Amino acid sequence: MATSLKNLSQHSDANVKDISNKRFGIVVSEWNEEVTESLYSGALETLLANGAKREHIIRKNVPGSFELSLGGQWLAQQEDIDAVICLGCVIQGETRHFDFICDAVANGITQVGLKYNKPVIFGVLTPDTQQQAFDRAGGKHGNKGDEAAITAIKMLGF
Protein backbone atom coordinates (compact mmCIF):
# COMPACT_ATOMS: atom_id res chain seq x y z
CA MET A 1 0.00 0.00 0.00
CA ALA A 2 1.49 3.34 -1.01
CA THR A 3 1.15 6.09 1.52
CA SER A 4 3.43 8.78 2.78
CA LEU A 5 4.54 6.21 5.38
CA LYS A 6 5.26 3.25 3.04
CA ASN A 7 7.38 2.94 -0.07
CA LEU A 8 6.24 0.31 -2.58
CA SER A 9 9.83 -0.67 -3.34
CA GLN A 10 10.76 -1.48 0.26
CA HIS A 11 10.08 -4.94 1.66
CA SER A 12 11.25 -7.45 4.21
CA ASP A 13 13.10 -10.59 3.21
CA ALA A 14 10.64 -12.90 5.04
CA ASN A 15 9.44 -15.74 2.78
CA VAL A 16 11.87 -14.77 0.01
CA LYS A 17 13.03 -18.16 -1.26
CA ASP A 18 15.22 -19.36 -4.13
CA ILE A 19 13.34 -18.65 -7.37
CA SER A 20 16.05 -19.66 -9.84
CA ASN A 21 13.92 -22.57 -11.07
CA LYS A 22 10.59 -20.69 -11.04
CA ARG A 23 8.80 -19.40 -14.12
CA PHE A 24 6.88 -16.14 -14.16
CA GLY A 25 4.31 -14.70 -16.49
CA ILE A 26 3.88 -10.93 -16.58
CA VAL A 27 0.80 -9.44 -18.22
CA VAL A 28 1.10 -5.73 -19.00
CA SER A 29 -1.70 -3.37 -19.99
CA GLU A 30 -0.92 -1.16 -22.98
CA TRP A 31 -3.30 1.54 -21.68
CA ASN A 32 -1.36 4.24 -19.77
CA GLU A 33 1.77 2.79 -21.35
CA GLU A 34 4.17 5.32 -19.84
CA VAL A 35 3.12 4.12 -16.40
CA THR A 36 2.79 0.40 -17.17
CA GLU A 37 6.20 0.20 -18.83
CA SER A 38 7.72 1.57 -15.64
CA LEU A 39 5.76 -0.98 -13.61
CA TYR A 40 7.06 -3.73 -15.89
CA SER A 41 10.65 -2.53 -15.55
CA GLY A 42 10.31 -2.56 -11.77
CA ALA A 43 8.84 -6.07 -11.73
CA LEU A 44 11.44 -7.44 -14.14
CA GLU A 45 14.38 -5.90 -12.28
CA THR A 46 13.07 -7.20 -8.94
CA LEU A 47 12.62 -10.73 -10.26
CA LEU A 48 16.11 -10.75 -11.78
CA ALA A 49 17.67 -9.24 -8.64
CA ASN A 50 16.11 -12.03 -6.60
CA GLY A 51 17.45 -14.85 -8.77
CA ALA A 52 14.90 -15.40 -11.53
CA LYS A 53 16.36 -16.30 -14.90
CA ARG A 54 15.46 -13.96 -17.74
CA GLU A 55 14.50 -16.92 -19.93
CA HIS A 56 12.00 -17.99 -17.24
CA ILE A 57 10.06 -14.72 -17.50
CA ILE A 58 7.36 -14.44 -20.15
CA ARG A 59 5.80 -11.08 -20.97
CA LYS A 60 2.44 -10.69 -22.68
CA ASN A 61 0.63 -7.43 -23.44
CA VAL A 62 -3.11 -6.82 -23.34
CA PRO A 63 -4.94 -3.70 -24.59
CA GLY A 64 -6.15 -2.44 -21.22
CA SER A 65 -6.48 -3.30 -17.55
CA PHE A 66 -9.88 -4.95 -18.10
CA GLU A 67 -8.13 -7.61 -20.19
CA LEU A 68 -5.56 -8.43 -17.48
CA SER A 69 -7.78 -11.12 -15.97
CA LEU A 70 -8.10 -13.14 -19.16
CA GLY A 71 -4.46 -12.61 -20.08
CA GLY A 72 -3.51 -13.72 -16.58
CA GLN A 73 -5.72 -16.76 -16.92
CA TRP A 74 -4.12 -17.77 -20.21
CA LEU A 75 -0.71 -17.68 -18.53
CA ALA A 76 -1.86 -19.27 -15.26
CA GLN A 77 -3.33 -22.27 -17.07
CA GLN A 78 0.13 -23.14 -18.37
CA GLU A 79 1.53 -25.78 -16.04
CA ASP A 80 5.10 -24.50 -16.38
CA ILE A 81 4.17 -21.02 -15.08
CA ASP A 82 4.57 -20.78 -11.29
CA ALA A 83 3.23 -17.25 -10.77
CA VAL A 84 1.58 -14.52 -12.81
CA ILE A 85 1.95 -10.78 -12.29
CA CYS A 86 -0.73 -8.49 -13.74
CA LEU A 87 0.33 -4.87 -14.26
CA GLY A 88 -1.96 -2.01 -15.18
CA CYS A 89 -3.09 1.50 -14.36
CA VAL A 90 -6.64 2.84 -14.23
CA ILE A 91 -6.78 6.59 -13.56
CA GLN A 92 -9.94 8.07 -12.08
CA GLY A 93 -11.95 9.98 -14.64
CA GLU A 94 -15.17 11.95 -14.69
CA THR A 95 -17.46 8.91 -14.97
CA ARG A 96 -18.14 5.71 -13.03
CA HIS A 97 -16.19 3.74 -15.67
CA PHE A 98 -13.24 3.74 -13.23
CA ASP A 99 -15.29 1.96 -10.55
CA PHE A 100 -16.54 -0.74 -12.89
CA ILE A 101 -13.12 -1.44 -14.39
CA CYS A 102 -11.27 -1.51 -11.06
CA ASP A 103 -13.86 -3.80 -9.48
CA ALA A 104 -13.88 -6.18 -12.46
CA VAL A 105 -10.09 -6.35 -12.63
CA ALA A 106 -9.62 -6.94 -8.90
CA ASN A 107 -12.26 -9.66 -8.84
CA GLY A 108 -11.07 -11.23 -12.08
CA ILE A 109 -7.44 -11.47 -11.01
CA THR A 110 -8.48 -12.91 -7.65
CA GLN A 111 -10.61 -15.56 -9.33
CA VAL A 112 -7.80 -16.61 -11.67
CA GLY A 113 -5.47 -17.25 -8.74
CA LEU A 114 -8.09 -19.27 -6.94
CA LYS A 115 -9.01 -21.24 -10.07
CA TYR A 116 -5.43 -22.26 -10.85
CA ASN A 117 -4.21 -22.43 -7.24
CA LYS A 118 -1.14 -20.33 -7.93
CA PRO A 119 -0.12 -16.73 -7.23
CA VAL A 120 -1.75 -14.28 -9.62
CA ILE A 121 -0.73 -10.86 -8.42
CA PHE A 122 -2.73 -7.62 -8.61
CA GLY A 123 -0.17 -5.01 -9.68
CA VAL A 124 -2.70 -2.45 -10.82
CA LEU A 125 -2.53 1.20 -9.85
CA THR A 126 -5.87 2.93 -9.21
CA PRO A 127 -4.85 6.57 -8.65
CA ASP A 128 -6.92 9.72 -8.88
CA THR A 129 -4.41 11.51 -11.12
CA GLN A 130 -1.65 10.75 -13.58
CA GLN A 131 0.87 12.32 -11.20
CA GLN A 132 -0.17 9.88 -8.47
CA ALA A 133 0.40 7.07 -10.98
CA PHE A 134 3.92 8.33 -11.77
CA ASP A 135 4.62 8.63 -8.03
CA ARG A 136 3.81 4.92 -7.68
CA ALA A 137 5.52 3.75 -10.87
CA GLY A 138 9.07 4.56 -9.89
CA GLY A 139 8.49 7.97 -8.32
CA LYS A 140 8.44 9.19 -4.74
CA HIS A 141 6.31 6.28 -3.48
CA GLY A 142 8.43 3.59 -5.13
CA ASN A 143 7.26 1.18 -7.80
CA LYS A 144 4.16 -1.02 -7.64
CA GLY A 145 5.92 -3.32 -10.11
CA ASP A 146 8.60 -4.01 -7.47
CA GLU A 147 5.90 -4.73 -4.91
CA ALA A 148 4.02 -7.05 -7.28
CA ALA A 149 7.18 -9.05 -8.05
CA ILE A 150 8.11 -9.39 -4.38
CA THR A 151 4.54 -10.46 -3.63
CA ALA A 152 4.80 -13.21 -6.26
CA ILE A 153 8.14 -14.36 -4.82
CA LYS A 154 6.81 -14.38 -1.25
CA MET A 155 3.69 -16.29 -2.22
CA LEU A 156 5.86 -18.92 -3.90
CA GLY A 157 7.71 -19.19 -0.57
CA PHE A 158 4.50 -19.54 1.43
Side-chain angles (χ1 to χ4, degrees):
M1 169 190 299
T3 69
S4 60
L5 303 176
K6 173 89 171 106
N7 186 299
L8 293 164
S9 297
Q10 296 173 342
H11 60 81
S12 75
D13 289 330
N15 282 343
V16 174
K17 307 288 185 195
D18 177 21
I19 59 167
S20 60
N21 65 339
K22 300 296 184 185
R23 296 182 177 273
F24 297 87
I26 304 177
V27 186
V28 183
S29 169
E30 294 172 343
W31 195 259
N32 291 314
E33 185 176 39
E34 191 173 355
V35 174
T36 61
E37 285 302 315
S38 184
L39 296 175
Y40 171 74
S41 293
L44 179 63
E45 290 170 16
T46 297
L47 290 173
L48 294 173
N50 281 277
K53 295 177 183 168
R54 188 174 294 273
E55 61 270 18
H56 290 178
I57 301 169
I58 298 168
R59 176 192 172 143
K60 296 290 185 176
N61 290 350
V62 293
S65 290
F66 187 80
E67 292 77 26
L68 288 170
S69 299
L70 183 56
Q73 180 169 292
W74 286 342
L75 286 175
Q77 72 186 10
Q78 296 180 30
E79 290 184 21
D80 65 336
I81 298 290
D82 296 295
V84 177
I85 300 168
C86 298
L87 301 173
C89 178
V90 184
I91 299 172
Q92 176 71 283
E94 296 176 357
T95 68
R96 294 183 54 214
H97 180 259
F98 173 87
D99 298 324
F100 294 115
I101 297 298
C102 293
D103 185 56
V105 174
N107 286 321
I109 290 171
T110 298
Q111 291 306 310
V112 172
L114 295 173
K115 179 177 180 178
Y116 289 98
N117 199 32
K118 60 178 69 175
V120 179
I121 309 304
F122 182 84
V124 181
L125 294 175
T126 58
D128 290 328
T129 67
Q130 190 164 20
Q131 184 57 53
Q132 288 175 346
F134 291 138
D135 290 346
R136 289 156 179 81
K140 69 181 181 180
H141 291 300
N143 191 318
K144 181 78 171 175
D146 294 344
E147 181 191 54
I150 284 295
T151 300
I153 293 166
K154 286 185 171 207
M155 288 304 293
L156 289 172
F158 181 77

